[in-house]
């Protein structure tokens, strides 16, 4: 693995989840691995969890960290080939990526979708620009179309709560050096697959699809009963959802669920638009039933989900945020190991 | 001590001052104490001294530091219970505080008074929000109503210049393992109590009461002749000033003073208002007499105090700023010791 | 050397270049030198290369680093003597410089020219203010009139590509402990002096003279055939260019050049003005011939220089940026050595 751009860069999800959980148990056990190595975090957008957890992960591995808010501390970047740069952009991605590569060993980047121009967003010009021209590894800290550090943290959280990765803890693995197996068909005994629901939720602003996309990609590699529910018009990119069933009746989708992941996103077909607020899609204790509740945060209380859910023992949102550290740490560890 | 929220969290002021002075003499003597521990600094407002001195203090103790400007790097926080978050705020303090706690061992926060709404400011929603929901220790880097790191630095500075804490250096203590005693009645021999004046000063903008409040709270625990002077209408919160004498004649208040601390604050009764500029309240060499001059900085020259005072040997302002490092360091040291 | 303010602070350019190249070969060989020392970076303007490379250099030397964007994180500074500070400035440079000095061992500062007022820019109030009042060493990370870290990186790059410092690699030096000699008369055998051209280039915005000035100052200490070319009206400060020949015909100036350094600057005589865009002054492959191409970056492609040049093997711009780390590192090393 040269870069961590998407969930597709994970060779074995159960192995990575298992390794992350080992790091969680002993966060500084690999403190020597990153000594003398530098991580550079470049933010083109705001960040709380990603900013702090990725720094923390790097420090746990002994790395040095440089943080830069590219937008207001650096120069406006140009991405076009052959552009006559006589307008607002001061520096081309070709130079920026090569230059930054010389000051660090890994560069991690956050650059959200603009939600104005689908083709432009899907070109992922910031992340792909860095990947094309950087000479060091690139980590995606949320791009236009994916948030694979979040989805990996979500996989860790699911595994901890006996979701689809629970097999990594199973007895048979304890006699096995490798902390995971193939990603399919690892159900122990007659235990049924967990039912996991990704539910669209209302939100006053147009939000990107990145979190939902990466969660779907991650879930498609899990042995679970996975359902997406949203109002008509909010279908995600069908190339990402593939054959995942879509249930337009939220209540029905949530029936007998083990985990419900709520998240708002704007329309994909009517790109970047908020079609309606649909406040009746807010996640409630009633709809949730006995399921565990998940969200990537930040979450708007009583819009996306009611207080009663977040304040109950069924909410996993704080643990998901905690697992961001170990998701980042396993990614950085893999990249550092590749450098040896 | 779980948190350092106010001067009231100091169990023994002489002990802390003495310990801070020991750290000043040998700043990295406790370099092992913070190894593997992380301090997160969250700024909701601008900062120079606090930003740098608190980082420096943490590094002196071997801690790792993450700095975040919450306002423009993170998400707008909501503090209200039960709010339907469909307006400007994106994340609730309940989540933010719990999440940040997972990435660090101590969180230090700066959040100034808005000076629009007394009840809201006095509720200290940012600091109290973090204290309520964080699972780690919280340090106040200036809140709406207090600036206890500044007041502790001021106490150190007073002690260095033979103010009320001078007893910690006295001969009798040298035979004593404990570096301080009770806070009262420690005058050596017939020496008179130092006279210390807190004087209001003019300023073009409305400023918070935090520095003045914490200085008063700190002084009320000292064995000194303490007087506050200000124009009528600028009375501080009477719950904080208590029985401290107020002298409305500045010149008379400063007579025979050993230390004069100048500081502007806006009206408390006519909350947050600048009643008048009163340029005749600027501190001058003439009013100061032989007293030492103190101010927390930043200071507006020739508005709050004339150049002649700041440029004289009587000014302690640079040393006060220096002692910010050791005030922060003793606070962090106490919190780290509590974690063992 | 107390401060690194300009190229004039370099005692022996060949020695420094040689030392920088040694550090480049073994960046962490002096990792103990900076342990327990702190570098504070203060940015009054944007920065990418300087921000990251200077941090990296400090970390290579074992130093701790604090970074602050003074403009939006701190307080507006006053520089005037005797000012009644009742307007927009909150803190005087006298206090700020003394205070910051107490939290670090070296302070590095970036403060660009405003290009409105020549006398004010040439007074270098920010850098000179810190130099006057700071008790620690000050490093110039680009001031109104100079960018000596860039010029030192340029000297390293020239030396690596057999420019005027090539003698430091010559056989006779290998038997010599000192890694350089006098700055003049070191031509080996009959080899001709390299021809180096500083060429003005078009740019849509008014840019400062700092990079050009420091490059000229550096070149005047080199044993090279050095020519400046620009349209009439773009003459640099004659006190800086001195007797360096100016050729107004760009094509003629570039004939048989070994190195061409392109850079835009605004008019000096009609201070800070863009006189015209002169797109025919863009550097092209044709004008460049067989010469190496240099630029400090960020560079506007197809305005300052055509893609074909930047994308060719003749471009040294990425290596110049790389050498920023070692330029900063040799400066910090010299300052740290002086502290012992």
């Amino acid at each position: 693995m040269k870069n961590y751009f998407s969930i597709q860069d994970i060779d074995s999800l159960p192995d990575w989840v298992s390794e992350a959980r080992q790091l969680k148990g002993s966060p500084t056990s690999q403190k020597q691995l990153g000594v003398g190595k530098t991580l550079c975090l470049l933010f083109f957008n705001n960040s709380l969890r990603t900013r702090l957890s990725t720094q923390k992960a790097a420090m746990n591995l002994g790395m040095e960290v440089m943080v830069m808010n590219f937008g207001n501390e650096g120069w406006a970047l140009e991405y076009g080939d052959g552009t006559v740069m006589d307008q607002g952009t001061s520096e081309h991605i070709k130079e920026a990526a090569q230059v930054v590569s010389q000051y660090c060993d890994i560069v991690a980047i956050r650059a959200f979708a603009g939600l104005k121009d689908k083709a432009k967003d899907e070109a992922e010009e910031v992340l792909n620009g860095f990947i094309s021209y950087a000479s060091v590894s690139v980590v995606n800290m949320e791009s236009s179309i994916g948030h694979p550090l979040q989805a990996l943290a979500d996989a860790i959280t699911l595994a901890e709560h006996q979701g689809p990765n629970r097999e990594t803890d199973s007895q048979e693995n304890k006699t096995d050096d490798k902390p995971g197996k193939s990603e399919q068909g690892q159900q122990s005994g007659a235990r049924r697959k967990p039912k996991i629901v990704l539910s669209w939720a209302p939100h006053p602003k147009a939000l990107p699809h990145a979190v939902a996309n990466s969660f779907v990609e991650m879930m498609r590699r899990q042995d679970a009963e996975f359902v997406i529910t949203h109002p008509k018009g909010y279908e995600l990119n069908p190339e990402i959802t593939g054959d995942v069933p879509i249930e337009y009746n939220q209540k029905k989708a949530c029936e007998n669920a083990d985990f419900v992941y709520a998240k708002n996103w704007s329309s994909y077909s009517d790109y970047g638009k908020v079609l309606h607020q649909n406040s009746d899609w807010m996640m409630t204790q009633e709809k949730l039933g006995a399921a565990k509740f998940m969200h990537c945060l930040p979450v708007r209380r009583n819009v996306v989900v009611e207080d009663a859910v977040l304040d109950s023992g069924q909410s996993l949102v704080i643990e998901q945020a905690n697992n961001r550290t170990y998701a980042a740490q396993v990614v950085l560890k893999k990249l550092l190991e590749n450098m040896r």
Side-chain angles (χ1 to χ4, degrees), chain A:
Chain A
M1 180 181 62
K2 165 78 192 305
N3 305 304
Y4 186 67
F5 175 64
S6 85
I7 287 294
Q8 311 312 330
D9 294 309
I10 300 176
D11 54 4
S12 163
L13 188 53
D15 284 3
W16 284 44
V17 166
S18 169
E19 209 165 327
R21 294 176 70 184
Q22 286 170 27
L23 287 167
K24 189 175 182 177
S26 181
T28 55
S29 58
Q30 307 287 323
K31 187 94 184 186
Q32 287 310 306
L33 190 62
V35 170
K37 302 290 184 191
T38 304
L39 172 66
C40 184
L41 306 184
L42 300 183
F43 290 97
F44 291 78
N45 299 95
N46 283 20
S47 171
L48 167 60
R49 275 152 288 278
T50 300
R51 183 184 297 274
L52 298 180
S53 66
T54 313
Q55 280 186 74
K56 181 70 180 171
M59 299 190 304
N60 281 346
L61 291 166
M63 300 185 80
E64 297 190 282
V65 187
M66 301 193 288
V67 182
M68 182 170 170
N69 296 314
F70 216 95
N72 60 351
E73 294 178 348
W75 310 106
L77 290 189
E78 174 63 41
Y79 300 93
D81 259 338
T83 309
V84 176
M85 290 170 59
D86 57 2
Q87 300 299 314
T89 55
S90 301
E91 175 144 40
H92 201 281
I93 181 72
K94 288 189 189 180
E95 275 73 52
Q98 290 182 76
V99 164
V100 169
S101 296
Q102 299 180 121
Y103 307 140
C104 62
D105 301 281
I106 301 173
V107 59
I109 299 162
R110 162 162 286 196
F112 289 171
L115 293 179
K116 303 290 182 199
D117 177 340
K118 187 192 284 193
K120 192 180 169 190
D121 284 350
E122 296 195 337
E124 293 276 27
E125 54 184 18
V126 183
L127 265 287
N128 279 332
F130 272 93
I131 286 172
S132 296
Y133 300 111
S135 54
V136 297
S137 294
V138 175
V139 173
N140 182 348
M141 295 197 298
E142 188 172 341
S143 66
S144 292
I145 57 170
H147 194 355
L149 285 173
Q150 180 65 50
L152 180 53
D154 297 337
I156 298 165
T157 311
L158 285 167
E160 289 178 329
H161 292 272
Q162 305 222 302
N165 272 297
R166 65 188 176 283
E167 77 282 353
T168 59
D169 291 330
S170 70
Q171 196 105 24
E172 72 224 64
N173 276 321
K174 294 205 176 138
T175 61
D176 193 335
D177 270 355
K178 292 183 190 161
K181 287 187 157 188
S182 72
E183 295 179 50
Q184 298 295 328
Q186 297 185 44
Q187 298 262 58
S188 49
R191 192 164 164 191
R192 74 164 176 83
K193 292 181 187 184
K195 180 176 177 186
I196 301 176
V197 181
L198 172 63
S199 175
W200 184 89
H203 197 283
K205 287 187 174 176
L207 294 191
H209 311 92
V211 169
N213 287 345
S214 289
F215 188 77
V216 171
E217 291 182 300
M218 182 272 289
M219 282 311 304
R220 291 184 69 186
R221 298 177 61 175
Q222 301 269 18
D223 192 30
E225 182 190 341
F226 180 48
V227 181
I228 304 175
T229 182
H230 53 69
K232 292 204 176 175
Y234 282 108
E235 288 74 14
L236 291 163
N237 181 351
E239 290 180 28
I240 288 171
T241 52
D243 58 2
V244 176
I246 296 168
E247 168 56 63
Y248 294 105
N249 182 325
Q250 187 190 32
K251 199 177 162 188
K252 193 169 161 198
C254 293
E255 272 170 16
N256 299 314
D258 296 292
F259 299 90
V260 174
Y261 199 112
K263 180 74 187 82
N264 170 268
W265 58 85
S266 55
S267 177
Y268 179 75
S269 53
D270 192 2
Y271 192 69
K273 292 290 181 302
V274 176
L275 306 180
H276 39 66
Q277 298 288 347
N278 301 59
S279 65
D280 50 332
W281 277 74
M282 179 173 76
M283 187 52 52
T284 60
Q285 189 69 60
E286 190 188 346
K287 292 179 204 164
L288 188 65
K292 299 287 187 188
F293 176 76
M294 299 179 76
H295 189 282
C296 58
L297 302 183
V299 66
R300 285 173 176 253
R301 284 174 167 254
N302 304 311
V303 175
V304 167
V305 54
E306 65 177 4
D307 279 343
V309 172
L310 283 170
D311 296 333
S312 78
Q314 288 170 252
S315 171
L316 303 180
V317 300
I318 303 301
E319 203 54 39
Q320 285 173 268
N322 191 22
N323 286 330
R324 291 292 309 275
T325 301
Y326 309 104
Q329 199 169 335
V330 76
V331 168
L332 294 174
K333 178 174 177 285
K334 296 277 182 191
L335 294 173
L336 288 168
E337 284 168 347
N338 282 355
M339 287 176 206
R340 284 199 266 192

